[in-house]
Structure formats: structure tokens, C-alpha cells
Amino acid sequence: MNSPQNLNIVDVMKFMMSISVIGIHSYIFGPEQFPLLLNYVVMTAVSFFITTSGYLYYRNKENLNQVSWGKLGWKYFKLYFIWVAIYLPLILYGLKSNGCGATENIGVFVYNLLVTGGNPYSYHLWYLLAVGVTCFIMYILAKSRISLFNIWILGLVLILVAYFAMRNQGVFGNMFRTIFETGNNGLTYGLGAFATGMMLTRINTHKFVIATCLFLIGLALFKYDQPFSALCGGTSIFLLCSTINLKEHAIYCHLRALSSWVYFIHMYFVFIIMSCIIRGWLPNNRYEGWLIATACSVMASVVIYILSQDKIKSLTHLIR
């Protein structure tokens, strides 16, 4: 396979997409709606991360059994539970604020913990749970000797099923929403996005043309609220990045780590800024809130990263 010399541009894009994730959650800062193109790019962020993971874990592999799916799945589950523990104060605050009793809150917490990954103020952690679940599904399917292509088709079908189920007002839709709440989980989204990244390892030519077509198709799908918009967007951005070689430099390694730190810690700053807006200390403006949350998250990430490289090296276990 004719791989590009490096994927340094992907590290740059990861950092930018971590900031886009803050943009996703910035809706709580103000009523402003993003323009179509900006909204589309922002909403592709998590799809980009999952697709990228699928590509990176499967590149240079010839078959599914060459990947240690079980080990990889446990890695993501470990990270997920660690970060749930880190966000526990905000989760408990959010559950306490909903006005429900202790028993009901415990049920909501356990359900979100095990199924959706979307407990209060830690919604972004669903990515870790989704990839962990996806890896264990991949383990089962690989042992069953199901081909990558068939797994990919299965993943796309599940995305389509989830799309229609979330909009169905009948028994099927109600049952689906009762079980999953949203389509963002390892079964009905993670598998399709992850397998798409794996399939990208087989594309050797015409990447720029394919990426451009996917981006425009995804934009049209997004405008009319159709399925696969985020997947097309995230896939196209990664595929475009894979065509670009940047000269080797240590900055890309730093950006890779910083993107993880920004992604994982930003909801604490989103919470703080939201609290300041509620108290009238900051303007009720989505763009300003996004900017402030980004600045705080990046600065805090830089400090944590510096500490992880010297004085507290064990911090690296929180993102790897």
C-alpha cells in the first residue's frame, strides 16, 4: 500500500477538531446559530476522531486478526471509567439539579454510564465508550471470520437504522430511544465510523477527489438532515489530510497530546463559563463563550502536558 510519508497534518487536525468539540457544546453559552458550513465542520469532529482511530489501528494490517481488539477495547474502557471518575463532581451536580429522587438519579447514572456514555457535563466521553464497545464487537466479528467489507456494510446499516429509529414515533422508535436514547453509541454509530476508517486504508489513489466529493455530499446531507452527513464530513477531512505531508517536527507530537487534553478537560471550563453567564458575569454569547472556553482549555492543557513530560509523568496514563 502506498501510504503517505507521514500523517503529521492529522495531528494538526486533531487539535483543531478538539476545539470544534468545544464548539459543539457552546450552544449552552448563547442562542446564536452557526452558519451552515461552520456548523457542519464542527459537527463532524467526533466522527473524525472515530474514523481516524479506525484508520490508525488498521493501517499496514492485512487482516482483522492482526489487531489485538480485546486489549484495545479494555484500553478505551479503562480511559472511559477514569474520566467518568474525574467528572463525577459535575455529574453528581447535574443529576442533583434535575429535581429527581436519589433512586431515580442512580438509575439514570448507571444507564448513562453503561449505555450512552452521556452523563451530565461529561457528554463527550461517549466517544471512549463507543470505541471500546466497537473494539469488542470487532473482536467477535473477527473471530467469526466476517470480512471487513461486510462489517463496514453492517455498520452503515446500523447507522441508517438508528437514524430512522430516532425519528420513528411508533413502537420501534420508542423502544430504540428507551434502550439507546440517541444513535451515538458503539453499536449504532461507532462500528460504522470505525470500520469506515479501516476501509480508508485500502484507498491508494484519487484521494483528493474522493475527499472533495464526500465533503460536498455530507454538506448537502447535513443541510437537509439526512443520515451519514457527519460520517461523510469526518471521513472527507481525514482523507484530505492523508494526502498532505508535512516536514517532521516535534510540534506535531505536542499537538497530538494537547488535542487529547483539550478534548477531555474542556467540559470543566464549559461548566465554569456557563455558571458565570448565569450569574451575569459574562455575556450570553455563543461565540465569546466558545472563545473563552477554548482559551482556558488550551492553556490548562499546555500546563498539564508540561507537567506530564517532567514532574508528573503518570499523567500521560490519563490520555493513553
Side-chain angles (χ1 to χ4, degrees):
M1 183 174 65
N2 298 321
S3 299
Q5 184 180 356
N6 60 60
L7 290 173
N8 291 329
I9 187 64
V10 173
D11 292 325
V12 177
M13 188 56 65
K14 280 184 178 181
F15 182 74
M16 294 174 66
M17 284 300 186
S18 68
I19 293 173
S20 292
V21 172
I22 303 176
I24 295 174
H25 298 135
S26 67
Y27 70 89
I28 65 176
F29 298 146
E32 293 86 359
Q33 294 296 317
F34 290 149
L36 175 64
L37 184 59
L38 176 60
N39 201 21
Y40 171 58
V41 172
V42 164
M43 294 304 293
T44 66
V46 179
S47 292
F48 171 84
F49 284 123
I50 298 177
T51 301
T52 299
S53 296
Y55 180 93
L56 294 176
Y57 288 126
Y58 196 63
R59 65 174 176 165
N60 302 322
K61 301 293 191 300
E62 295 298 328
N63 61 72
L64 297 176
N65 290 317
Q66 289 182 301
V67 181
S68 301
W69 296 113
K71 183 178 180 180
L72 195 58
W74 283 121
K75 167 192 168 183
Y76 276 92
F77 281 139
K78 181 192 74 172
L79 288 175
Y80 173 65
F81 286 111
I82 287 173
W83 281 99
V84 167
I86 291 172
Y87 273 93
L88 200 55
L90 295 190
I91 293 172
L92 293 177
Y93 174 84
L95 292 173
K96 184 179 179 181
S97 301
N98 66 15
C100 298
T103 302
E104 185 174 350
N105 281 335
I106 291 173
V108 170
F109 171 75
V110 172
Y111 165 78
N112 287 332
L113 178 71
L114 300 178
V115 180
T116 69
N119 269 301
Y121 303 111
S122 60
Y123 317 108
H124 60 304
L125 299 183
W126 79 267
Y127 157 73
L128 292 174
L129 181 61
V131 176
V133 169
T134 294
C135 289
F136 279 102
I137 295 174
M138 291 298 301
Y139 174 82
I140 295 171
L141 296 178
K143 291 296 182 182
S144 303
R145 299 184 181 278
I146 299 176
S147 69
L148 172 58
F149 180 78
N150 288 335
I151 292 173
W152 178 56
I153 295 299
L154 173 62
L156 297 184
V157 169
L158 289 171
I159 291 175
L160 197 61
V161 168
Y163 171 82
F164 286 110
M166 288 300 297
R167 290 156 177 78
N168 182 275
Q169 298 304 314
V171 175
F172 173 65
N174 292 333
M175 185 181 300
F176 181 90
R177 288 187 293 274
T178 298
I179 297 173
F180 293 109
E181 193 173 276
T182 75
N184 292 335
N185 57 74
L187 177 63
T188 63
Y189 193 83
L191 181 63
F194 197 90
T196 297
M198 295 169 67
M199 289 292 290
L200 292 181
T201 64
R202 302 311 188 231
I203 297 178
N204 300 316
T205 59
H206 307 300
K207 291 184 178 182
F208 181 82
V209 174
I210 296 172
T212 302
C213 291
L214 282 175
F215 185 87
L216 294 175
I217 291 170
L219 180 60
L221 292 173
F222 180 76
K223 180 178 180 179
Y224 296 104
D225 189 30
Q226 297 301 307
F228 304 119
S229 60
L231 182 59
C232 285
T235 301
S236 67
I237 292 171
F238 174 81
L239 196 57
L240 179 61
C241 288
S242 71
T243 67
I244 302 171
N245 285 318
L246 296 179
K247 186 177 179 180
E248 293 293 345
H249 195 284
I251 187 65
Y252 304 120
C253 238
H254 302 325
L255 286 174
R256 187 186 314 153
L258 287 175
S259 67
S260 295
W261 284 116
V262 169
Y263 184 92
F264 287 129
I265 71 173
H266 77 271
M267 281 304 295
Y268 262 102
F269 294 104
V270 168
F271 176 81
I272 292 170
I273 294 166
M274 179 194 69
S275 301
C276 291
I277 290 174
I278 291 173
R279 288 166 174 77
W281 299 343
L282 288 173
N284 185 28
N285 184 284
R286 184 174 187 180
Y287 290 98
E288 290 185 20
W290 184 10
L291 178 62
I292 297 171
T294 296
C296 292
S297 299
V298 170
M299 287 189 291
S301 296
V302 169
V303 172
I304 295 172
Y305 178 61
I306 292 173
L307 290 174
S308 72
Q309 297 301 295
D310 185 18
K311 296 184 179 180
I312 316 177
K313 293 185 178 181
S314 58
L315 285 172
T316 57
H317 296 307
L318 297 179
I319 59 171
R320 296 179 183 172

